[in-house]
Amino acid sequence: MAFTEPLRNCGDFGPGDYEWLHLLVGDWQLISDLAFGDLVLSFPADYIPSAGSGNGRGMPAPGSPFRVLAHVRPATGPTVFHQDMVGELMPEELTGPLRAAWVGRRIELLRAGGDGPATGAQVKIVPLVRNGRTLALLTVHTGRRSGQVTSLQEVVYREAADALLRMANEGLWPDFSAPTGSRRGAPRVGDGAIRIDADDRVAYVSPNAESALRRLGIDGELVGKRLMDVVPPALGPGVEPDETLAPVLSGRTAWRTEVEGARVSVNFRSVPLRDRSGRLGAVLLCRDVTELRRRDLELVSKDATVREIHHRVKNNLQTVSALLRLQARRMTTDEARHGLEQAMRRVATIAMVHETLSQGFSQNVDFDELIERQFRLAAEVAAPEQSVRTRIIGEFGELPTRLATPLALVINELVTNAVEHGLAGRTGTVTLEASRVPDEEGAGQLLEVVVSDDGAGMGAAVIEESGVGAFRRADVGEGLGMQIVRTLVAGELGGSIHWSPRQGGGTEVTVRARLDDQPGP
């Protein structure tokens, strides 16, 4: 359930209000770290809607407590609430000030008393106002500090946090137009922070930020300078800065960019600060992401290597298949030719799986795309002189790569057997059906695959194979294909296989394979 559910239920607010709160909570770690305090989002437990007008000007009921919707702790200092506050009620002594702040829509600063977890903490109440309506309350809880000298870093950070809180109170932050990126290495306050004034000049550089800039080759006093005057020259001759660099380093755009020097990469994020009167400057967060980018490059290289290996294996298997085909043509007996042709089809099936794996980075395989062509090809090759129809029901979905090869081989053998024996010399249909079912314990999923034909059938015989029993010696009349299927189902797929008469005539074979990583039965 979304934390904004209480707002949705009251009927006073719209989708834009919910989304704005989601953006705020998605980025409020920034304020928590700058303020060195816990942030708590709360909403009245008993809310009186705005008499059906839908203008969002409802009020907390008199004496109503406030329930916590979300909670975040600082990474730069100690927490006030050691237990998660979500779902809890705010301390009773805060009920009156919280209601007053909701109604007045103004920021309030107070100290919480009593014996609760927030005892002795300084509490700042920030009404989150948008379009003249209070959506929720944001409270900043900072622990009591006695006998400790306040550092310049703390002063600068708290001033930036206060600016962002005022922007949140006025509905100016977060900004819907600010882009968000998912690339690894997003800088946080603890990675390094730079305070930019309204004239785009550096007012303060944290020690971690100074270290990151020094790795870029920027040394010396930076206070009073513009970063655009020192960062691009440090990148070296011939390096063209990204077009997003200037607006980020000046703090005028809520954006992220990355600069690369000599074997060094630094990520920058700009958080502009402003109020109703104008621009106040910005907080610039930076992080040395050199090792992250090196690992990303290694992962890309490994992925490319794995894909190339699959591609080469596919080529080698296709060569083996071609050699088997040539050898089959030179055979003088039908039995030998048929055996080599079967071996050729099995090798070609494995090659097709490796071809699919060579075309993607995922650990899973889109098995529907893989098996559709293989299914029809297996039916055509097994009996080129017959008219055999094929039908696919259901979807396999994405399967782990460890299941792709054995399952493709099993289906290939079952389809070949259905055409050669079930539909021997006649026209008919082979159907492939896939579905997912819970296992007997209900703790995981099984893939159920049914291959059926409307041919001669197998009489009243029913064969059930699963587990270790599937490795028994072949019965009279059972060929290599049957042995291959049993071995793969029990060993590689960790499942079971069941032959039975098909209703309406013919035979159906049901294979169940485990989809989790647990060992088979």
Side-chain angles (χ1 to χ4, degrees), residues 434-486:
S435 61
R436 302 196 179 203
V437 297
D439 61 13
E440 294 179 356
E441 295 80 14
Q445 272 195 330
L446 298 175
L447 175 67
E448 185 175 273
V449 180
V450 180
V451 178
S452 61
D453 65 78
D454 54 2
M458 56 184 292
V462 176
I463 307 175
E464 176 77 29
E465 301 290 353
S466 62
V468 179
F471 291 100
R472 64 174 173 77
R473 299 176 65 85
D475 290 337
V476 177
E478 292 183 359
L480 178 61
M482 181 81 78
Q483 291 180 286
I484 290 175
V485 168
R486 284 207 231 96

Side-chain angles (χ1 to χ4, degrees), residues 161-317:
D162 289 342
L164 284 171
L165 290 171
R166 289 194 299 272
M167 292 173 65
N169 173 243
E170 297 173 356
L172 301 176
W173 187 88
D175 189 348
F176 277 107
S177 64
T180 57
S182 58
R183 193 181 187 194
R184 290 203 310 156
R188 299 172 65 172
V189 173
D191 298 318
I194 304 171
R195 181 68 166 89
I196 307 293
D197 64 20
D199 296 323
D200 304 343
R201 297 185 182 276
V202 176
Y204 173 78
V205 182
S206 74
N208 285 348
E210 185 176 351
S211 297
L213 293 175
R214 182 168 293 181
R215 292 204 63 185
L216 275 176
I218 301 172
D219 205 351
E221 182 62 43
L222 288 176
V223 175
K225 296 182 179 178
R226 290 186 172 92
L227 288 177
M228 272 305 294
D229 295 335
V230 295
V231 172
L235 303 181
V239 178
E240 290 293 333
D242 189 270
E243 61 183 10
T244 62
L245 187 60
V248 170
L249 293 184
S250 63
R252 292 182 174 272
T253 303
W255 212 283
R256 279 177 56 188
T257 191
E258 194 167 303
V259 298
E260 296 183 0
R263 299 182 296 279
V264 179
S265 297
V266 177
N267 200 315
F268 289 94
R269 179 196 174 188
S270 173
V271 184
L273 304 178
R274 68 182 192 276
D275 58 17
R276 298 293 184 184
S277 61
R279 183 169 180 267
L280 302 176
V283 173
L284 199 65
L285 306 180
C286 62
R287 179 182 180 183
D288 182 353
V289 293
T290 306
E291 287 303 309
L292 274 178
R293 296 298 168 252
R294 183 180 66 82
R295 292 171 190 168
D296 287 345
L297 183 60
E298 287 180 354
L299 288 174
V300 171
S301 299
K302 289 179 180 178
D303 284 338
T305 301
V306 171
R307 292 176 67 193
E308 179 63 20
I309 289 172
H310 283 303
H311 181 71
R312 295 188 182 188
V313 170
K314 181 263 296 184
N315 289 343
N316 291 339
L317 290 173

Side-chain angles (χ1 to χ4, degrees), residues 394-408:
E395 295 181 351
F396 290 85
E398 290 193 349
L399 298 181
T401 54
R402 64 180 178 83
L403 297 181
T405 298
L407 184 58

